[in-house]
Amino acid sequence: MVQPEKRRRARVWSRREKAPPSWLEELRAQERLQEFADSRTGRSLRTGLPVLLLCLFAGQGRLIGGAMPFAPALLAGAMLRDRAVPYAAAGCALGALVAREPAVLLSCALLFALYAGLRLANLRPNDLTCVLGAGAAAYLLPLLFARDLYDHVVALSGGISAAVLARMYATALRVRLRERELLSSAERISLALLFCGVVTGFRQATVFGVSPVLAALLFVSAAAGTLGGAGTGAAVGAVAGLLVGVTEPPEPYLFPGLVLAGLLPGMFRGLGRYGAAAALPVALLLAGAMDARFLTAARAVEGGLALCAFLCVRERQWAFLRGYFEGEERVRRIAAGSREEAVAAVADKLEDYAGLYARLGRAPGAGPCAAVSGALRALAGELRQPVREEADLAREIAEDLDAAGARVEGVQAERVGERLRVKLRLHCRERDGLCGKRLCRVAAAAAGAPLRARGNAVCPKKGPCEVVLEEAEAYEAISGSASLAAGEGPCGDTLTTVQLPQGRYLAALADGMGHGLGARAESRAAMDLMEDFLLARFSPEAALQAVNDLLLRSGGEETFSTMDLMWIDLTNGTLQALKIGAAPTYVRRGKRLLAISGEALPMGIVEKVRPAVTNLRLQDGDALFLLSDGVTDAVGGDEQWLARELL
């Protein structure tokens, strides 16, 4: 529509000169063209004409022996995607007429009749209908013109090829490049297969013995390798080589040349566009060394044409095409960068809070603030550790688990700092909570590093199990316990052993004052608090002081408890023993017995706890014995008897 101002100007011009100016005529022509493009007919032509041309050219392609599966496959792919089916049918029919193949024309007519019948019945063709329809049409109708067994074999090969190609072409026709940024490997290969199928219609066209089709295929293979890497280039070259090898005229010796034309530019794409271009002649020479029929004067001209086209593509166009190959990696890189930025922001905030609590801790009576500051700094340090994804290792672990009979749903392998972490999601058959133990050996063999399950893996009654495996430290601690009440009621002692972050291991024994339920509650409360503080990254000394403060301010009756805390670093095998009113601890090393003791008042009595601290380097095979005073009281303080029992 012409805007009001332009209408007014048009009337003025018509009154003065009785003829609109040229710019107004151009404007009206552009408006009419835009109206036609936005109309239903214009939109139909815009989407249908490319499909018609594809089917027109691909419909003339011919396999060895005369089979022509490309037209039925393209029509079936258009039916499956419901994309410009009448145009596809018209293009296939025109291609069959140009190729003078009535069997192909009948096949396309039968497929279009099947589509029209389904649409009239308000049904939509599915994968099975289109694939089987293409195969049956490409096989059955050529039998009407078969004269001997060879014609039957050719018809069968055409039917199988049409069924396979139909599914690939359906994937290619689904892609709208203007609306897409991420293309999967299947979509890239399907598009390459569609392109190769189209150019097969020109296979017999030559100019002075030079094949433009082969030059185009060499260019496409080299471009795919440059943009997508050696694997993508080799795959596209293999697809092109297979089609060239099985179409008329048959030239199977072209297969290695096209594969190398995609492989070598992909391997040298790190040197830039000119490095990839230099690899193309090398690929042709290697292919000629493999088969002398490949290296001819015509082939040299075709390679030169492909190389010139490769060098004539502008960098802006390469960047545009590269977006379809590297879009997924770009999105993953941006997502990883966003995650790292978020983690860094959280770590910075924790550092700010740690500094605030550190300043508060300098005030008199503000000891807990300093402990909180240390815990926050430790947590910020863990968050700042770099996380690097190990996609290849995750694939190897998944393959090994699948070979071992595990139904794997997902595997994620990453390095946190220098340590490996593997997250598994799988369906467990036994449902007995032993997933971690079963999976560690398989995953560790694939990773080449010892792994252990984080925490205790619990199998749900329904749904998949989720297990986290971490790289094991140089040492492993195995624990066991036994208890006996002195009188009636439960034992008043509480023992805990827990794997802590950063390769730490905690073994602690708390002894409540007295016997029975009261002593049990006191020791249990002290132990629960101690474990929570240590899991929150508090240092052992700060955790002991915090537990002591809470016991002092618990209210009600006085609460006392001894604490025997063994802080073991499994990375280097060092032990830090902190004892508060606890009985001696013993380390059995071969035929020797080492005693660790210390004097200190129990927790919950004085404001400031001063644990007896002992540092010791453990050795492989050492046995650590934590005893409560109930054991020494039971033997009457006979240390020789106790030493003999422990040895």
Side-chain angles (χ1 to χ4, degrees):
M1 298 295 293
V2 180
Q3 297 179 1
E5 177 65 21
K6 294 177 180 177
R7 284 205 190 104
R8 188 183 67 80
R9 294 178 63 184
R11 285 198 298 270
V12 172
W13 275 96
S14 62
R15 289 172 183 172
R16 291 180 179 178
E17 301 182 7
K18 298 183 179 180
S22 58
W23 64 266
L24 188 57
E25 288 291 342
E26 294 177 1
L27 178 63
R28 288 175 177 174
Q30 293 177 2
E31 289 176 347
R32 287 194 295 269
L33 182 61
Q34 186 62 39
E35 289 177 1
F36 176 76
D38 294 338
S39 65
R40 184 175 181 179
T41 303
R43 291 195 302 269
S44 176
L45 288 174
R46 192 167 60 249
T47 58
L49 285 179
V51 177
L52 186 147
L53 293 176
L54 288 176
C55 295
L56 171 62
F57 297 135
Q60 303 176 45
R62 191 185 303 270
L63 296 178
I64 298 175
M68 301 179 68
F70 301 103
L74 260 173
L75 182 54
M79 290 167 50
L80 181 58
R81 295 304 171 201
D82 197 14
R83 184 174 181 182
V85 179
Y87 291 93
C92 292
L94 289 175
L97 290 175
V98 172
R100 299 179 182 179
E101 285 292 336
V104 179
L105 181 62
L106 291 175
S107 301
C108 296
L110 178 62
L111 279 175
F112 186 72
L114 173 64
Y115 172 79
L118 291 174
R119 297 302 291 176
L120 289 175
N122 291 325
L123 298 175
R124 187 173 181 178
N126 56 15
D127 287 8
L128 184 63
T129 302
C130 294
V131 170
L132 291 182
Y139 169 63
L140 295 176
L141 293 179
L143 293 181
L144 299 175
F145 305 90
R147 295 184 299 270
D148 50 21
L149 180 60
Y150 179 77
D151 292 338
H152 284 266
V153 173
V154 171
L156 179 61
S157 65
I160 296 174
S161 301
V164 174
L165 290 173
R167 192 66 187 83
M168 300 291 290
Y169 286 160
T171 301
L173 292 175
R174 180 184 60 188
V175 179
R176 289 178 169 86
L177 293 178
R178 292 184 179 181
E179 303 174 3
R180 296 287 302 278
E181 291 186 0
L182 302 178
L183 295 181
S184 64
S185 298
E187 289 174 335
R188 298 173 199 155
I189 295 175
S190 298
L191 287 172
L193 187 64
L194 177 60
F195 173 79
C196 296
V198 171
V199 298
T200 52
F202 303 92
R203 279 282 287 124
Q204 298 180 354
T206 58
V207 179
F208 300 109
V210 177
S211 172
V213 172
L214 188 56
L217 293 179
L218 287 171
F219 168 77
V220 169
S221 300
T226 305
L227 296 171
T232 301
V236 172
V239 170
L242 285 174
L243 280 180
V244 169
V246 299
T247 53
E248 292 286 356
E251 294 176 305
Y253 54 86
L254 297 178
F255 177 81
L258 289 170
V259 173
L260 290 172
L263 178 66
L264 291 185
M267 295 175 62
F268 290 94
R269 68 172 183 161
L271 301 177
R273 182 177 59 167
Y274 294 102
L280 183 57
V282 178
L284 300 181
L285 291 174
L286 289 177
M290 298 172 63
D291 195 322
R293 293 176 296 176
F294 182 87
L295 199 57
T296 61
R299 203 66 13 81
V301 175
E302 293 160 358
L305 292 175
L307 183 60
C308 290
F310 189 89
L311 294 175
C312 288
V313 177
R314 297 181 179 179
E315 186 60 35
R316 183 177 59 184
Q317 296 168 333
W318 282 118
F320 172 76
L321 295 173
R322 195 175 292 112
Y324 293 106
F325 288 84
E326 298 180 355
E328 183 178 355
E329 180 63 27
R330 174 174 52 83
V331 170
R332 186 184 298 112
R333 186 167 57 249
I334 293 175
S338 300
R339 183 185 64 179
E340 292 175 359
E341 291 175 1
V343 171
V346 173
D348 291 339
K349 186 62 67 176
L350 289 175
E351 289 282 1
D352 295 340
Y353 289 149
L356 174 62
Y357 278 99
R359 290 192 294 272
L360 293 175
R362 300 191 188 103
C369 292
V372 173
S373 174
L376 291 176
R377 291 190 188 280
L379 186 58
E382 291 185 24
L383 289 176
R384 292 188 187 280
Q385 290 185 341
V387 179
R388 186 175 68 257
E389 188 174 357
E390 299 281 352
D392 295 337
L393 178 59
R395 189 180 302 110
E396 293 180 13
I397 294 175
E399 293 172 354
D400 290 354
L401 290 174
D402 183 71
R407 295 176 55 194
V408 181
E409 281 193 357
V411 178
Q412 180 183 1
E414 55 189 14
R415 289 199 176 273
V416 183
E418 298 298 329
R419 302 179 62 80
L420 180 65
R421 181 171 63 194
V422 180
K423 299 177 182 179
L424 303 175
R425 181 182 174 90
L426 72 162
H427 282 277
C428 179
R429 296 185 176 89
E430 286 76 7
R431 303 287 179 185
D432 55 3
L434 299 178
C435 292
K437 294 183 179 179
R438 292 193 183 95
L439 300 175
C440 276
R441 179 174 298 179
V442 179
L451 300 175
R452 61 171 173 80
R454 177 196 291 177
N456 296 322
V458 179
C459 298
K461 293 182 179 180
K462 293 182 179 180
C465 302
E466 296 184 356
V467 183
V468 179
L469 305 179
E470 295 179 325
E471 187 171 347
E473 292 78 14
Y475 295 91
E476 181 182 8
I478 303 173
S479 62
S481 64
S483 64
L484 181 64
E488 296 182 358
C491 178
D493 304 335
T494 300
L495 173 72
T496 186
T497 56
V498 61
Q499 182 76 41
L500 297 172
Q502 302 296 316
R504 308 284 182 169
Y505 189 85
L506 170 67
L509 176 63
D511 183 3
M513 295 297 100
H515 305 282
L517 292 175
R520 175 72 170 182
E522 293 172 1
S523 63
R524 181 75 268 172
M527 188 59 68
D528 289 343
L529 288 172
M530 176 62 61
E531 188 173 331
D532 291 340
F533 277 116
L534 292 175
L535 287 173
R537 276 72 173 177
F538 277 64
S539 65
E541 295 85 354
L544 288 172
Q545 184 61 52
V547 172
N548 182 73
D549 293 342
L550 290 174
L551 292 178
L552 283 172
R553 293 163 177 79
S554 60
E557 298 180 357
E558 294 182 340
T559 303
F560 305 144
S561 177
T562 67
M563 181 67 68
D564 204 350
L565 191 148
M566 301 291 126
W567 180 261
I568 305 173
D569 189 340
L570 297 177
T571 303
N572 50 31
T574 58
L575 165 68
Q576 185 181 32
L578 296 92
K579 305 182 75 66
I580 301 179
T585 298
Y586 296 92
V587 179
R588 187 185 67 193
R589 180 172 296 171
K591 297 298 183 179
R592 293 192 303 155
L593 198 64
L594 307 177
I596 302 175
S597 60
E599 297 294 335
L601 292 175
M603 292 191 299
I605 297 179
V606 295
E607 289 284 345
K608 184 69 174 178
V609 293
R610 292 180 173 82
V613 180
T614 302
N615 294 306
L616 180 67
R617 178 172 292 278
L618 298 176
Q619 297 180 5
D620 191 18
D622 282 356
L624 187 66
F625 294 94
L626 280 72
L627 309 174
S628 68
D629 56 4
V631 176
T632 56
D633 293 344
V635 299
D638 189 354
E639 296 182 358
Q640 294 183 355
W641 176 89
L642 184 60
R644 288 195 303 271
E645 292 296 321
L646 296 180
L647 289 174

